[in-house]
Amino acid sequence: MPKTINVLFLAAEADPFVKVGGLGDVAGSLPQAIRALSNDDVKLDIRLVLPYHPVVKGENLKPLGIFLIPRGGSEVEVEAFETTLNGMTVYFISGDPIRANGSVYSLDSKLDAEKYTFFSLAALELPNQVHWSPDVVHANDWHTALSIYGNLTKRWEAGARHVAGVVTLHNLPFMGPDISAVLENYGVKLAQTDLPEWARVMPLPLGLWASDAVVAVSPSYANEVLTEEFGCGLNAFLQFRRETLSGILNGIDTDSFDPATDTSIAVNYDINSLEKRAENKGMLQDKLGLANDPNIPLLAIISRMDVQKGVDLAFTALKSMKNVNFQAVILGTGDPKLENAALELQTAFPEKIKAITRFDAALARQIYAGADMLLMPSRYEPCGLAQMIAMRYGCVPIARAVGGLNDTVKHNRTGFVFEKAHHMSLMGAVKTGIKVYANREQWQNLQRAGMAQDFSWEASAQEYLKLYQSLVK
Ligand code: GLC
């Protein structure tokens, strides 16, 4: 009989049900990849639980019933639903606080405090209701971190089973709002912690404090969060428990992101038919209204319009390269100021630069398949997914040596890397890239080296499995 490890995996979003950003990609793929590692020695029953956000398309959700959790000296109703994703059980939780909050992440921190406290505590109670008991509760980012805190406070109850708590850190600066009053309303007491005082009332720090293990989404980010520059005030706290902190690099969905089979792109190709890629570039130039010329390097930015991503640095760099022959395409939504800055660049350089400020997954794929270089000048980057997708499509990344970019892009081998979060530093790397681009053979070597990398989930899933095993033994 194989040993079974039961894992309750919580996230605010997971593709294909609901996706806002990279967290959604990861929470959609990682649990399935871990589950796929089940073998004769160990069976992994990993179940995903998500909030039933009003934006979730829930046609095939089977109602499981209603249960109650304590709130405000009385009780509040939790509605549970179930479906499957490629054989994996997926639960959805609904209730007043989730219905009251239209978007996945609200601008109103009060709504989010209530919603995610409710969700985390309800999700933690769900296994009891379905007569299943997890060995590990695995939370992601601040939204679900209170489940780890709740898990620890449950452990203090007489006779409680040991259930391990894991937090994956996708983005440390987002720690969540002050939930002290909300938590108390749900009957959960704030413990004496060795967190900095300001952090003692915030979901992510409380989850980190209560966890048995913390995973950063890349080895470099795991080191960075221990420093003052990236530690957001929790560096000393994290230093203190660094033996429970590790870094596991995210993967990408290599079946979906495959230039050999991608149905969104004009011409399919692979590492052995790289010459066909040129057709995608030509089609892209036509579509964007740029000159159809294979010799002009086509630069791309596919990103959330956010200062984290350093898109402002990229805009300044592009503006400064007046005498350089290049084309650029900018695709993404986010901060309205940055969206405007992108559109202004297009207005200033209509022959050279195109900006598309909407979400367009198909166009993103056409850009990966047709552009020559992808710019990622991030100020910090816990992992980053776009650089991995770009390499898989033979689009060469130009990235800052930070976080997951540092772990995935190899300077002069699979891309170009620069140190400083400054537009001059980025510009230097872009100019180097453009010089190398002029040498077809050298350029193709870079493209092929990137395409040959294995960014599938398999390796990450193995690491998570090892971690689970170390926690439940
Ligand atoms: C966050 C991080 C990004 C990471 C993603 C998935 O969006 O900013 O670097 O790739 O989470 O872990």
Side-chain angles (χ1 to χ4, degrees), residues 127-282:
N128 282 332
Q129 301 292 326
V130 296
H131 310 292
W132 177 76
S133 41
D135 303 298
V136 180
V137 178
H138 188 160
N140 292 275
D141 277 354
W142 80 261
H143 328 99
T144 52
L146 284 176
S147 66
I148 305 302
Y149 183 73
N151 179 51
L152 181 71
T153 58
K154 272 196 175 177
R155 215 189 269 170
W156 295 334
E157 290 164 15
R161 235 176 113 248
H162 181 97
V163 178
V166 177
V167 178
T168 292
L169 269 184
H170 301 260
N171 210 330
L172 181 60
F174 295 87
M175 297 191 194
D178 177 345
I179 41 70
S180 49
V182 182
L183 205 55
E184 205 184 298
N185 200 31
Y186 279 90
V188 181
K189 293 215 162 49
L190 275 179
Q192 290 289 329
T193 66
D194 60 347
L195 288 163
E197 199 167 337
W198 55 266
R200 288 176 198 166
V201 296
M202 298 166 100
L204 183 62
L206 285 169
L208 296 174
W209 177 80
S211 69
D212 299 282
V214 176
V215 181
V217 288
S218 67
S220 285
Y221 196 53
N223 288 327
E224 286 167 358
V225 295
L226 298 173
T227 65
E228 215 177 305
E229 186 183 357
F230 297 102
C232 306
L234 293 186
N235 38 300
F237 164 79
L238 289 167
Q239 279 277 2
F240 196 65
R241 38 169 73 212
R242 65 184 305 170
E243 68 289 350
T244 66
L245 170 70
S246 61
I248 302 179
L249 192 70
N250 287 332
I252 54 170
D253 184 338
T254 46
D255 291 327
S256 164
F257 291 112
D258 183 353
T261 54
D262 192 330
T263 52
S264 300
I265 66 178
V267 181
N268 291 115
Y269 60 96
D270 64 19
I271 193 165
N272 298 314
S273 57
L274 202 49
E275 67 289 345
K276 288 198 209 153
R277 193 178 184 277
E279 291 179 52
N280 289 304
K281 179 172 175 179

Side-chain angles (χ1 to χ4, degrees), residues 392-457:
R392 185 146 171 82
Y393 281 74
C395 179
V396 175
I398 300 190
R400 181 160 175 243
V402 70
L405 296 173
N406 197 31
D407 294 333
T408 51
V409 185
K410 302 282 166 257
H411 188 58
N412 277 332
R413 209 164 66 75
T414 59
F416 300 94
V417 167
F418 61 94
E419 292 290 331
K420 280 206 197 94
H422 194 279
H423 75 271
M424 293 295 283
S425 196
L426 167 62
M427 201 166 78
V430 172
K431 285 186 174 166
T432 307
I434 290 178
K435 223 177 267 160
V436 177
Y437 178 77
N439 180 327
R440 262 315 117 90
E441 207 187 301
Q442 242 185 308
W443 190 255
Q444 288 188 351
N445 286 340
L446 277 171
Q447 290 179 297
R448 289 210 178 88
M451 292 175 85
Q453 306 287 309
D454 179 7
F455 293 122
S456 67
W457 274 107

